[in-house]
Amino acid sequence: MIDVCDILDALRWHADVGCDEAIGDEPIDWSAFTARTPLRAAPPGMTPGAQTAGGMAGGMGSGGIPGAPRPAPRPALPFESPDQPLGASEAGIHARARAGEAQSLDALEAALRAFDGCPLKATAMNTVFADGNPQAPVMLIGEAPGEDEDRQGKPFVGVSGKLLDRMLAQIGLDRGKVYIANILPWRPPGNRSPTQSEIAACLPFLERHVELVRPKLLVALGGVSAKTLLNRAEGITRLRGQWRSYEGAGTPIPLMPMLHPAYLLRNPIAKREAWRDMLALQQRIAEEEIKYP
Ligand code: URA
């Protein structure tokens, strides 16, 4: 007899390794498999064929669990040949072409939603485009949606978003006075760090996003955002605290790298540095006599 603690442990383990979304139409009882279940066999109680609907999202590597059925191959994307997987640069080229055609934020959002070049889209529930005021002079860019953002389709709505709101409020800002987006519009499973090829596939959309919004100041929240936007290898603790320049939008835009609110939740002592950076932002807004719409 399985007790509740074992079930909770199993659930926790699945969440920790990133299996936190049901993406198949049919549940699969993996516990019904034994080492002797033949490869490609359906689990007991399932018709052979039905297993391909959900599979395992390719998460177990090429070997998989001995005796478990193999996931169905991912269908080829419109611009990729089935025997040659899409390289990051090809996805990036395709993304740049689609993003470059967009002449408005609505058109950019539609192009992003139609873009199939980043595999994260397949496991995400929502495309998280942006929140806040697109006319705002300050644009904040985080890393990628987490679980709450993925569910609600908006950036920074979970616990780290609540902290971000409190930090902004300390210098008189709120979501009506800033605009918020992420480097990646789709949640990496289990909140793992995004890979370079995922970033490369999506970055042209973010770059166009900044071009269309034309903010006066940028804030990069966290290391992934700062390193990507500044094209630098140093970590956030080295990059933060100084105004830098974002060069991806034609004219340079001053950019302040800051510690990510999720990091501050784990390391409350670092809020001292974050507070200094918020004050630097407030001072720059005053110096440049930035007006809000
Ligand atoms: N962390 C991010 O970087 N972005 C979000 O939208 C939420 C959490």
Side-chain angles (χ1 to χ4, degrees), residues 102 183 188:
I183 297 286

Side-chain angles (χ1 to χ4, degrees), residues 102-112 129 212:
Q103 299 302 320
S104 67
L105 289 176
D106 285 348
L108 185 68
E109 182 169 357
L112 181 63
F129 186 67
L212 289 169

Side-chain angles (χ1 to χ4, degrees), residues 27 37 47 54 128 175 228 233 242:
T37 310
T47 50
V128 177
R175 292 197 184 215
T228 304
Q242 272 183 53

Side-chain angles (χ1 to χ4, degrees), residues 142-146 149 155-156 160 182 260:
E143 177 179 322
E149 291 77 17
F156 285 101
S160 57
N182 279 311
H260 195 286

Side-chain angles (χ1 to χ4, degrees), residues 9 55 57-58 72 76 81 90 115 122 127 136 148 152 158 181 191 227 232 238 259 274:
D9 279 349
S81 109
E90 282 172 78
F115 178 65
T127 300
D148 295 309
Q152 297 184 41
N191 297 344
K227 287 198 263 188
R232 298 276 289 258
R238 278 184 188 273
L259 297 170

